[in-house]
Amino acid sequence: MAPSLAAYIALPGTTAEAMNHWHEVFGGELEILRYADTGLEGLPFTPDPQSVAHSRLTLPGGIIAGGDAMDDGHDYPVAGTAYSLLYTTDSPDEAQTLIQKLLDGGGSVGMPFEEAPWGGWYGQVFDRFGVMWAFSCDD
């Protein structure tokens, strides 16, 4: 397997819902593995058997992976951080279609999608899970 880079997101018990939503928006191939299906024993925490141990959404341009956070009381905020997922499209219309799907799914606009001062198009949307999606495309 060739080296690759993927985004990995730990969500607070909403990974399955988020991954299914993103699969509806972006398409691709989705795999979800719950702790009940792993056969793992002796973990340093006791997960809910229905919690997501690992998931992967494979898209033509990359992979989004994730699992339910086993945070032991730590707070890992999703929204309000400097992180986002940058999705580059072939056209502004394609980006607008994906943005609208995220908005229809309960998201909100972070920055309107419009022509950028550096050329091309750029905008940001927060989905209903608090994840910031940045969209970019050339003219």
Side-chain angles (χ1 to χ4, degrees), residues 45-134:
F45 54 90
T46 305
D48 178 323
Q50 291 307 305
S51 290
V52 175
H54 181 71
S55 62
R56 180 172 60 200
L57 178 58
T58 303
L59 302 170
I63 295 171
I64 302 168
D68 286 328
M70 299 293 142
D71 63 9
D72 293 332
H74 294 96
D75 183 23
Y76 299 107
V78 177
T81 66
Y83 301 100
S84 65
L85 298 176
L86 176 62
Y87 199 91
T88 303
T89 62
D90 290 328
S91 72
D93 288 341
E94 181 183 2
Q96 289 283 18
T97 298
L98 295 171
I99 288 167
Q100 192 59 53
K101 286 181 179 182
L102 289 171
L103 294 174
D104 290 346
S108 62
V109 173
M111 177 185 291
F113 184 73
E114 54 193 27
E115 289 185 85
W118 56 84
W121 292 73
Y122 181 82
Q124 300 168 347
V125 175
F126 287 90
D127 68 19
R128 71 177 183 242
F129 305 98
V131 174
M132 184 197 316
W133 291 86

Side-chain angles (χ1 to χ4, degrees), residues 4-47:
S4 67
L5 179 66
Y8 190 95
I9 301 175
L11 293 169
T14 57
T15 300
E17 182 183 356
M19 286 292 196
N20 278 300
H21 177 60
W22 299 337
H23 184 238
E24 290 173 11
V25 171
F26 297 101
E29 183 179 327
L30 177 61
E31 302 169 46
I32 296 178
L33 177 67
R34 298 185 185 275
Y35 280 99
D37 302 322
T38 66
L40 294 173
E41 296 180 13
L43 296 172
F45 54 90
T46 305

